[in-house]
Amino acid sequence: MKVDGSVAFVTGANRGLGEQFVRALLEAGAAKVYAGARDPAKVTVPGAVPVAVDITDHASVLAAAEQSPDVTLLVNNAGSTTRAHILTTELDSFRTEFETHVLGTLAMSRAFAPILGRNGGGAIVNVLSVLSWVSITASAGYAAAKSAEWSMTNALRVALAEQGTQVTALHVSYLATDMAAAVTGPKADPAAVARATLEGVEAGWPEVLGDDVSRRVQAALSQGPEALYPQLRGGSSLV
């Protein structure tokens, strides 16, 4: 998959990591970048093609796909967090997380898969999280949805291999964006993460690890819950 000359569609493209994906794609030579957002008037990157899309609205997803028949690279970036606590937050917040990250991403992938197939296969990037692999009580709804999105990404990778569509997952911890504005710890540069992800797509990588936290958590996966949750024995959380 070559980014130079590609036609990309990025969801959640009006701010944060999504906006940086749009900039990185154009800088890397993409022929066209559709910048999807609920309010396309908020897309400000010069050269991008604003498109209205709400990934939780199936009709909106289908309309966006119909407007973008030349896409060869889909970046499923759109998301949000309700900060749903595992014990105290109402269940509707958990439903919102799954409607957005799981069903919304699946709807986009299903709508664009035939387009990618007709255009030679192309690629899909799903923006996941380090919380795909490890959970925290204060954002358990987001983590559960991202974990389900990781599983769905793996299924998409297998299902779309026959038509030649590459599926790359991005795992990353906190980014220096509005979503993590209240976080005081280290944050990765979203522009650098976007560029690294596109490099991973061109290299054919199934997963891109965007920061040291993600690399540390992935390494602990095979060691079981005690390695993933050292706080159970008096240690510090991995995230």
Side-chain angles (χ1 to χ4, degrees):
M1 176 70 207
K2 295 296 183 184
V3 174
D4 187 16
S6 67
V7 176
F9 193 109
V10 181
T11 62
N14 57 301
R15 63 177 183 169
L17 181 60
E19 179 179 323
Q20 295 305 321
F21 266 118
V22 174
R23 294 184 184 279
L25 284 159
L26 290 170
E27 290 169 3
K32 184 190 297 183
V33 180
Y34 295 103
R38 286 182 174 178
D39 182 358
K42 293 183 178 179
V43 174
T44 59
V45 180
V49 180
V51 178
V53 64
D54 177 351
I55 68 170
T56 66
D57 181 336
H58 192 53
S60 174
V61 168
L62 294 179
E66 187 175 353
Q67 294 176 61
S68 317
D70 49 351
V71 167
T72 60
L73 173 59
L74 170 65
V75 181
N76 284 316
N77 164 77
S80 61
T81 178
T82 64
R83 294 178 174 81
H85 190 282
I86 189 62
L87 295 178
T88 59
T89 305
E90 68 283 354
L91 291 180
D92 281 347
S93 293
F94 285 80
R95 293 188 181 95
T96 296
E97 298 281 11
F98 276 78
E99 287 283 348
T100 303
H101 299 112
V102 182
L103 298 180
T105 299
L106 178 58
M108 287 293 297
S109 300
R110 284 182 168 184
F112 279 86
I115 295 172
L116 295 171
R118 289 193 296 269
N119 293 332
I124 295 175
V125 173
N126 283 348
V127 176
L128 303 182
S129 170
V130 67
L131 296 184
S132 309
W133 295 329
V134 63
S135 190
I136 57 177
T137 57
S139 289
Y142 180 86
K146 283 298 183 181
S147 184
E149 189 181 359
W150 175 43
S151 178
M152 182 187 65
T153 298
N154 288 329
L156 281 171
R157 184 177 293 118
V158 174
L160 297 177
E162 186 175 352
Q163 74 171 31
T165 299
Q166 172 185 323
V167 179
T168 297
L170 167 64
H171 296 270
V172 66
S173 184
Y174 295 116
L175 294 167
T177 63
D178 291 345
M179 187 181 292
V183 175
T184 57
K187 304 175 193 178
D189 175 8
V193 170
R195 290 192 297 269
T197 303
L198 296 181
E199 290 171 4
V201 169
E202 290 204 319
W205 293 352
E207 290 183 326
V208 173
L209 306 186
D211 57 7
D212 289 339
V213 175
S214 298
R215 285 183 278 273
R216 186 165 66 246
V217 171
Q218 189 200 50
L221 282 174
S222 63
Q223 301 173 44
E226 288 191 349
L228 288 170
Y229 303 99
Q231 63 266 42
L232 294 175
R233 57 181 190 276
S236 300
S237 173
L238 292 179
V239 296

